[in-house]
Amino acid sequence: KKVFGLEGKNPEDFFYLTCDRNEAKLIIEGKPDSMRYELTCKALDMIGVDSKKRKELFSTLAGILQLGQIDISADPKSDENSMVSDPKKLDAPCNLLGLEDRKMLANALCYRTVNVRGEKIETPNRPEVALVMRDSFTKALYSYLFDWLVLSINESTSAAYVVQKDANSKNFGTIALLDIFGFESFEVNRFEQLCINYANEKLQQKFTQDIFKTVQVEYEEEGIPWNLIDFSDNAEVLWLLESATGVLAVLNEECMLPKSSDERFISKLSRIHEDSQFYCKTKVMGLTFGIKHYAGIVYYTAEGFLDKNRDSIGDDSLNILNDSKIDLVREVFAISPPPHEPAGKLTRSKSSAVLNSLCSKFRTSLSELMEVKPFFLF
């Protein structure tokens, strides 16, 4: 604990361990933290993570905990600007993550750089937005660290590893099972429900194309008699969601603008799609809009859409981590660079807000899934 700056600290001292308002447990399933630490070290050793890499891993995790201790407040000069309440709280995460410039970390949280028509604009974040940036920074680092750990496990246990070690082994393939989402429609539906229901629309289209359209074409080509099957085609709903002027594109565009807001997002969306039979406006203009999905109409509350979609880190934050003095921190971002972007220093002409936005990453993942040849189990 002393090595990672955790001496004298308890789980309840850290925001990220108690932000769900539940007490952090020292004993889980009958095993205390000390025992789990030993089991974790043994497991990491089994998959080839040596002591040096293990120390870097624990240092990074401790740094993630310390990032949650950074408080943000309004700048006394302007309520619209933000500042780190206690600059001393930048020391622990910077030391643990190998970051040399504390001021750069503070600026990455309190400001954002957007690229509008080829011009870079630095805009101060409001305090609530700066807190979202802090959490996005943390979640991105943790996510990439998790990807690195999964890759390490796969490399040590995969058939490819066995084949490399034993030339006489047979080649092995993979079998992936997709547990299809269920449509969600609650009393209050938020950004998460939109993503889940968007995935269902894509899967429904995939199922329709593979089962009905493709089979009908094959029957016609082979002259096999068949009865016309009337099925629902959700192409227009998907156009509403993912076209160049669709919900996702408008959301991304609004996230890039300096004075963006959930209200402006809804206003723009309603103006563009007011004639669409699949877009539903509410009687009282507010932060609610509806989409007529193939499973039925779902009304979404857009409050927090922009902040959740910005669940990513911009160029400034990425470059800070790429300059880390800790090898593992740089390595995880080399393994898992942002979509369509090379690892290393980022010199993008297009704003990273679009490329790294949550809905963009989700859409990319769905597109890759649609390329897989499926076999349906009924």
Side-chain angles (χ1 to χ4, degrees), residues 11-27:
E12 57 267 23
D13 295 329
F14 293 96
F15 171 72
Y16 283 147
L17 298 180
T18 55
C19 58
D20 60 355
R21 298 180 182 177
N22 291 324
E23 184 178 348
K25 297 180 180 179
L26 292 173
I27 298 177

Side-chain angles (χ1 to χ4, degrees), residues 212-255:
F212 295 112
K213 289 185 177 180
T214 304
V215 171
Q216 286 183 2
V217 170
E218 289 178 355
Y219 275 30
E220 288 178 352
E221 291 177 347
E222 297 178 15
I224 300 175
W226 59 277
N227 295 323
L228 180 65
I229 301 174
D230 185 22
F231 55 86
S232 176
D233 189 343
N234 64 340
E236 290 188 62
V237 182
L238 282 170
W239 185 90
L240 171 64
L241 287 167
E242 61 183 11
S243 69
T245 57
V247 175
L248 303 184
V250 173
L251 180 59
N252 277 337
E253 181 183 23
E254 192 62 28
C255 286

Side-chain angles (χ1 to χ4, degrees), residues 176 206 210 365-375:
K206 179 73 171 173
D210 289 350
S365 179
L366 278 176
S367 297
E368 291 173 354
L369 178 63
M370 295 302 105
E371 298 300 317
V372 176
K373 179 174 175 58
F375 296 88

Side-chain angles (χ1 to χ4, degrees), residues 182-190 192-193 196-197 298-299:
F183 253 94
E184 291 191 355
S185 180
F186 303 127
E187 185 174 340
V188 178
N189 300 288
R190 301 190 184 278
E192 295 82 359
Q193 280 68 52
I196 288 172
N197 293 342
V298 178
Y299 287 95

Side-chain angles (χ1 to χ4, degrees), residues 125-145:
N125 290 324
R126 299 188 306 275
E128 62 271 21
V129 175
L131 283 172
V132 171
M133 292 295 290
R134 180 201 65 182
D135 294 341
S136 297
F137 183 92
T138 304
K139 284 187 278 188
L141 179 55
Y142 189 87
S143 175
Y144 288 151
L145 196 64

